[in-house]
Amino acid sequence: MALGPEHPGRVRGVGAGISPRQFFNLPRPQRVKFADQLKESVRIVLQEETKKMEARTKQLVEAEREHLLSQLSHLIPNFDPSMLKPKTSPMNPMSDKASCSGADVRSLHLEDDTARNGEQQEQTKSGALDNQDEEKREENKDEQKMGETIDEGKKEEEKENKDEGKEEDTNVEEKKEEKQDEEKHDEEGDEVLDYSNVEVPSSLQSLCGYVETTLKPQGKIMTFNIEKEVFGADRSTFVLHEDITQFAGMEEIGATVVAVYMRCLYDLLREANMCSMVGFIDPAQVSANAGSLTDRSRIVASRLQKTDGEQIFMMPYNPGRHWVLLIVRAKRETVYFLDPLPGNRVVDEEGKNIVNSALKIYNSHIGRPGRKAPIWKTLPGTPKQPSSVECGYYVMRFMRDIIMDPSLEFEKKFAKGKDQAPYPQAAIDEVRKEWAEFVCLHMD
């Protein structure tokens, strides 16, 4: 009662005219333009209407299909409706490993994805219209034509039984041709080089011996404690014997192998007094299927908030069966994209949204308005992998090459027009040797 009634927008005990934003040093609320609000409202309305149209189309197609099946069951004796059910294959979730085969890697060409989505929508609409026309034709048939159709169905069934053997022979020939085409395609595009004759570094040979004598017989794993300074928080990880043998055989590698090598590179940064210049973001926490987009953006933002001036953060990212490297320079709101696959590649939309959202959170944290959109630069002059399994090794080598240059002039080093030939095997073996030597320090 002595203090009197509450007044919104005031802070008691600090004098008149002091607002909560001034006293608690809160960031100013960002104003949203009316045009942006209108665009967002229209986008939401369009999404809702699209969902409703898709639901109605699905119901219509299902009703037409049921009607067609009932008509066929009356027309054709011993008709099995399951013959018309589409064959579905189980979804293959993203593996922790990463290879770049054309059948597995998620397409990073956004324009191609948009075109394919448009073709699928057109096919769905045309399928619904075809079903409507077919229903009208069925309804217009009279009873005499139905009787004739039954006879024709019987004759057709007998003819199919006679030609069954011929069709099997034709299918065998078609399968042979398809197999030859697949082999030709593998040789041209998705070729996996034979690394069985590649010399294995001595440290990696010792590690493989430890696998055969200790890890596999005793069912053990190798545990690593990664310090807070590396990824911003203490965390433990483990390496299985399969990770070691696959790494020794130049097979596809996962986030754990990449994270362990980043811990190894941190020692090099510490020796060169470059920890204030280069930081790391944990690939296991930001790659696809590692959590929601919001959670992954917050993880990246928490690392950027610890930036010191011109510090860069290297973020290996796996959008699905392929490794790329993103380099975030928060102060300049610039992101660099390095892809070991040849061709004009672009970062996938999900990875771009993660980093863009993280930079917005960072700008809000330091009280800076920031750009409308961060600058994304693709560095096309990186060495290109020769086949479909080396992407992880190349990303590891990219990071090593960058930190071995104290000037951090990687943008000039990997600029367009530079040599895009593959790394020599000796350069990749140098990375494998350093990784194996670091892991050997943790052997019992």
Side-chain angles (χ1 to χ4, degrees):
M1 292 174 64
L3 292 174
E6 283 285 353
H7 296 280
R10 299 184 184 180
V11 182
R12 290 186 181 276
V14 295
I18 304 298
S19 67
R21 185 182 63 79
Q22 293 173 330
F23 183 77
F24 294 105
N25 195 22
L26 300 175
R28 291 185 177 181
Q30 296 188 0
R31 297 178 180 178
V32 182
K33 296 181 179 179
F34 175 76
D36 295 336
Q37 291 180 343
L38 182 61
K39 289 180 182 178
E40 183 66 17
S41 301
V42 171
R43 186 183 65 82
I44 294 174
V45 171
L46 288 176
Q47 285 183 349
E48 293 177 353
E49 290 297 324
T50 302
K51 290 180 180 179
K52 291 179 181 178
M53 291 178 63
E54 290 177 352
R56 287 196 296 266
T57 303
K58 185 177 180 181
Q59 293 176 356
L60 179 61
V61 171
E62 193 65 27
E64 296 290 342
R65 183 175 179 276
E66 293 296 332
H67 179 74
L68 177 61
L69 290 177
S70 62
Q71 293 287 337
L72 290 175
S73 61
H74 289 296
L75 295 173
I76 302 176
N78 301 325
F79 174 72
D80 185 7
S82 62
M83 295 169 59
L84 299 180
K85 289 184 178 180
K87 295 182 179 179
T88 57
S89 57
M91 294 294 292
N92 183 21
M94 192 201 86
S95 170
D96 183 43
K97 311 300 178 185
S99 67
C100 312
S101 58
D104 293 327
V105 68
R106 180 188 298 175
S107 173
L108 303 183
H109 296 283
L110 302 180
E111 295 180 357
D112 294 344
D113 289 344
T114 305
R116 281 194 291 271
N117 291 336
E119 291 176 0
Q120 290 176 358
Q121 291 178 358
E122 290 179 0
Q123 291 175 1
T124 302
K125 293 179 180 178
S126 62
L129 293 174
D130 291 342
N131 288 333
Q132 291 178 357
D133 295 339
E134 191 169 356
E135 181 186 5
K136 292 180 181 179
R137 289 195 299 268
E138 292 292 339
E139 290 177 352
N140 293 331
K141 289 182 180 181
D142 52 26
E143 295 180 355
Q144 293 179 357
K145 290 186 178 181
M146 289 176 62
E148 294 175 359
T149 307
I150 294 174
D151 296 336
E152 291 177 0
K154 292 180 179 180
K155 292 178 181 180
E156 188 68 23
E157 186 177 1
E158 293 175 357
K159 185 177 180 181
E160 289 177 356
N161 293 333
K162 290 180 181 180
D163 296 340
E164 186 176 4
K166 295 180 180 179
E167 289 178 355
E168 290 179 355
D169 296 337
T170 305
N171 291 335
V172 171
E173 294 178 359
E174 290 178 355
K175 288 180 180 178
K176 288 182 179 180
E177 293 177 358
E178 290 176 359
K179 187 175 181 181
Q180 292 175 357
D181 293 339
E182 289 176 358
E183 292 175 354
K184 184 178 180 181
H185 176 72
D186 292 340
E187 292 176 358
E188 294 177 353
D190 297 336
E191 180 184 1
V192 178
L193 299 183
D194 183 12
Y195 288 99
S196 58
N197 297 324
V198 174
E199 184 178 354
V200 178
S202 58
S203 56
L204 195 52
Q205 290 179 359
S206 302
L207 196 57
C208 291
Y210 180 69
V211 169
E212 297 298 328
T213 58
T214 305
L215 294 185
K216 288 179 69 175
Q218 301 180 16
K220 289 186 176 181
I221 60 174
M222 301 186 70
T223 305
F224 296 84
N225 294 319
I226 301 180
E227 298 85 347
K228 179 181 179 181
E229 292 77 13
V230 182
F231 294 132
D234 292 322
R235 85 174 187 90
S236 298
T237 187
F238 55 87
V239 174
L240 303 175
H241 66 83
E242 294 94 338
D243 296 324
I244 298 173
T245 54
Q246 290 169 357
F247 187 78
M250 282 293 295
E251 300 178 24
E252 54 194 50
I253 57 177
T256 299
V257 174
V258 178
V260 170
Y261 186 68
M262 295 171 78
R263 172 60 185 85
C264 174
L265 292 178
Y266 180 76
D267 290 339
L268 298 179
L269 290 174
R270 193 160 44 188
E271 293 173 2
N273 294 322
M274 294 176 61
C275 293
S276 61
M277 301 169 61
V278 181
F280 295 121
I281 298 175
D282 190 353
Q285 294 185 329
V286 296
S287 294
N289 295 342
S292 66
L293 191 146
T294 302
D295 292 338
R296 287 181 282 169
S297 298
R298 289 173 179 170
I299 290 172
V300 177
S302 67
R303 290 294 288 142
L304 299 182
Q305 290 171 8
K306 299 177 176 61
T307 184
D308 182 13
E310 293 291 329
Q311 187 178 21
I312 64 171
F313 284 89
M314 292 194 283
M315 172 180 154
Y317 176 69
N318 190 332
R321 308 291 295 182
H322 177 56
W323 284 107
V324 298
L325 179 62
L326 304 180
I327 301 176
V328 184
R329 181 165 270 159
K331 186 175 181 181
R332 300 183 185 179
E333 295 184 81
T334 304
V335 187
Y336 302 92
F337 173 61
L338 291 76
D339 193 335
L341 273 180
N344 297 323
R345 311 285 293 181
V346 293
V347 68
D348 81 314
E349 197 67 22
E350 188 173 272
K352 199 170 185 178
N353 290 336
I354 291 171
V355 179
N356 289 349
S357 299
L359 287 173
K360 288 182 180 179
I361 298 173
Y362 168 76
N363 288 333
S364 176
H365 175 75
I366 64 175
R368 181 178 68 177
R371 304 175 185 270
K372 290 184 177 179
I375 300 173
W376 282 80
K377 294 184 178 181
T378 300
L379 302 182
T382 56
K384 303 303 179 183
Q385 60 189 87
S387 67
S388 62
V389 296
E390 300 92 347
C391 55
Y393 303 91
Y394 271 58
V395 167
M396 292 160 68
R397 182 70 199 195
F398 290 165
M399 292 189 290
R400 188 186 190 279
D401 288 347
I402 291 170
I403 68 173
M404 294 304 289
D405 180 12
S407 63
L408 296 180
E409 294 184 349
F410 58 90
E411 186 175 358
K412 294 181 180 179
K413 179 181 178 65
F414 298 130
K416 188 175 182 180
K418 300 293 184 180
D419 187 13
Q420 300 184 24
Y423 277 123
Q425 187 59 36
I428 301 301
D429 287 342
E430 190 173 10
V431 170
R432 299 166 71 208
K433 178 184 176 183
E434 292 173 349
W435 185 89
E437 289 176 349
F438 179 79
V439 175
C440 283
L441 298 176
H442 294 76
M443 292 193 306
D444 296 335

